[in-house]
Amino acid sequence: MSNDQYYGGQQYDPYANGNGNGHQEQQGPDVTQTWEGQTWDTQFQPAVTYEQVQADRAQAAQTQQAAYQQQPHQPQQQPYEAYAAGQGSYESYGNGTPAAYYAEPQHQSQPMEVAAPVAEPVPASPASSGEAGPGWSSPTTSGNTRITDAQRARAEGRSPIIEPGMQPAALTAVLGLLLAGGAALGTYGLLVPLVLLQGLTAAGWFRLNGMWPARQGIALAFAGGLAADAALLVTGRENAAAAIFGTLGVWVLLCLVLQLRSHADPDERMYGLMATIASAALTVVATGHLGAEPDAVVVGGVAVAAAVLARALPLPGPVSLIVALLASAGAGIAAGGLTDLGSSGALLGLGAGVCALVGLRVASYDYPSRFVHMTAGVALPLTAAAPAVYLLGRALV
């Protein structure tokens, strides 16, 4: 309680007795003693005068009238009710009762007009504007997420056939010329580029089938090619077919045994078995260059080089195919003139060119990556041409 309360209708004055100590010397029995020091009373309410009450109510009435004028279309009944309630409290205040304490007027919160959200203009995408956008993806903190050409083609639903291009074709041409030059030098001169061809074939086929890393399968297939080379060197060129097929049979059996020892799922085991057998078969078949006649290897290598280079030219599909076949036949004639084949080199060159284009088509299938183009795209044209070189060489020489 405070010192501003009323006692018998009169306000208590601590200095009325003249001693100034804040206490009355004598108090009646019906008067409550009050403490004039600092207190923790949280219900303290200051007494106000009549003038303060009248001024505050006038200000509240002006505020409510201004709000009513700003919004004339909305009925304002609550301010009048609040004003009437205020009149009642004013009357009680005049009676001098404790209910006369003034309560601060509660202003009615006016509704605020909320502006409608304005949609920000969205910049037009490069695809909608008809302009080709850059080949970069959005920035990220997790590394470079730029997609490859194969991933972009798959996402856009384009054809799964992606040609290797000029660079792998140039490497194929170089390797074909190395085979031709090695065959002209002799058996062991041919062996070095042949081993390189077999290594690229083993690695490229596994990557073409989506299996990477597959070190065990690649090593097994490459070992099959080396075993076929060794068997052919031991038995001689006359028994090349027996050496090739014998090695191929042994390696198929070896692949079966190794896959049976695998602990992978049955589906994955079967998929790995087929990929390993196919890779080993292609690597062993490439040994046909070593078992063919040297002149046939020279013509075949030159013809394959001409076919892949012509195929890589920016020409329409059918036109590019015809030009590649004509180029392989022309290269066969040119290389046959340098050997004992003569004009028969055109037929051998044409056959090698057809097989090379088949191998190039296989290396272009199923959205191949750049690594596939640089391995399978380089090796498969020469590997696929090996049977034609061997068979046609035996027939024409």
Side-chain angles (χ1 to χ4, degrees), residues 5-397:
Q5 295 180 351
Y6 296 95
Y7 298 94
Q10 296 182 356
Q11 186 176 5
Y12 169 70
D13 186 3
Y15 296 94
N17 55 2
N19 54 7
N21 56 2
H23 297 280
Q24 295 180 353
E25 293 180 355
Q26 295 179 0
Q27 297 179 353
D30 57 344
V31 177
T32 304
Q33 185 178 2
T34 60
W35 179 258
E36 298 299 329
Q38 295 182 355
T39 179
W40 291 100
D41 185 9
T42 59
Q43 303 296 328
F44 171 74
Q45 295 180 352
V48 295
T49 62
Y50 174 76
E51 290 78 8
Q52 293 178 353
V53 173
Q54 189 176 7
D56 291 340
R57 287 178 177 172
Q59 183 179 1
Q62 292 177 0
T63 304
Q64 295 173 356
Q65 183 67 21
Y68 178 77
Q69 292 177 358
Q70 291 179 359
Q71 299 179 357
H73 60 281
Q74 295 181 358
Q76 300 289 338
Q77 298 179 359
Q78 295 182 0
Y80 292 105
E81 297 175 358
Y83 184 77
Q87 292 290 340
S89 61
Y90 171 74
E91 294 175 357
S92 62
Y93 179 83
N95 296 332
T97 60
Y101 292 127
Y102 172 72
E104 296 183 359
Q106 298 180 356
H107 300 284
Q108 181 182 5
S109 60
Q110 301 179 2
M112 299 179 61
E113 296 182 359
V114 181
V118 180
E120 298 181 357
V122 180
S125 60
S128 60
S129 60
E131 299 178 359
W136 303 97
S137 60
S138 58
T140 177
T141 58
S142 60
N144 184 12
T145 59
R146 184 181 181 183
I147 62 175
T148 62
D149 295 338
Q151 292 173 343
R152 183 179 294 107
R154 186 189 298 272
E156 295 176 357
R158 291 185 291 173
S159 172
I161 303 298
I162 301 177
E163 298 291 340
M166 182 57 69
Q167 187 176 2
L171 293 177
T172 302
V174 170
L175 188 55
L177 294 177
L178 289 176
L179 288 174
L185 294 177
T187 302
Y188 292 97
L190 177 61
L191 188 61
V192 176
L194 178 61
V195 171
L196 179 59
L197 174 63
Q198 289 171 332
L200 289 175
T201 302
W205 185 261
F206 273 94
R207 191 64 184 91
L208 182 63
N209 286 270
M211 302 181 65
W212 191 265
R215 300 182 183 90
Q216 182 179 1
I218 293 173
L220 183 61
F222 182 62
L226 295 180
D229 296 340
L232 194 146
L233 290 175
V234 171
T235 58
R237 186 176 287 114
E238 295 78 10
N239 299 318
I244 292 173
F245 285 107
T247 305
L248 183 59
V250 171
W251 242 252
V252 169
L253 181 61
L254 183 60
C255 292
L256 286 172
V257 172
L258 291 179
Q259 289 298 325
L260 288 176
R261 294 172 57 88
S262 176
H263 298 285
D265 296 335
D267 295 338
E268 185 178 354
R269 187 185 307 173
M270 179 61 66
Y271 188 71
L273 175 63
M274 299 305 297
T276 305
I277 292 177
S279 180
L282 290 172
T283 308
V284 172
V285 166
T287 310
H289 288 290
L290 189 62
E293 295 293 331
D295 293 342
V297 177
V298 172
V299 174
V302 174
V304 171
V308 294
L309 288 175
R311 183 62 173 169
L313 295 177
L315 299 174
V319 176
S320 177
L321 180 61
I322 295 174
V323 170
L325 294 177
L326 292 177
S328 63
I333 294 175
L338 301 177
T339 60
D340 296 337
L341 287 175
S343 59
S344 300
L347 180 59
L348 194 150
L350 182 60
V354 171
C355 294
L357 293 180
V358 172
L360 189 64
R361 184 72 171 183
V362 172
S364 306
Y365 187 69
D366 197 16
Y367 303 102
S369 63
R370 190 63 179 170
F371 185 84
V372 174
H373 284 164
M374 300 303 293
T375 53
V378 173
L380 285 184
L382 290 168
T383 301
V389 170
Y390 177 79
L391 296 175
L392 293 177
R394 287 296 182 94
L396 296 176
V397 176

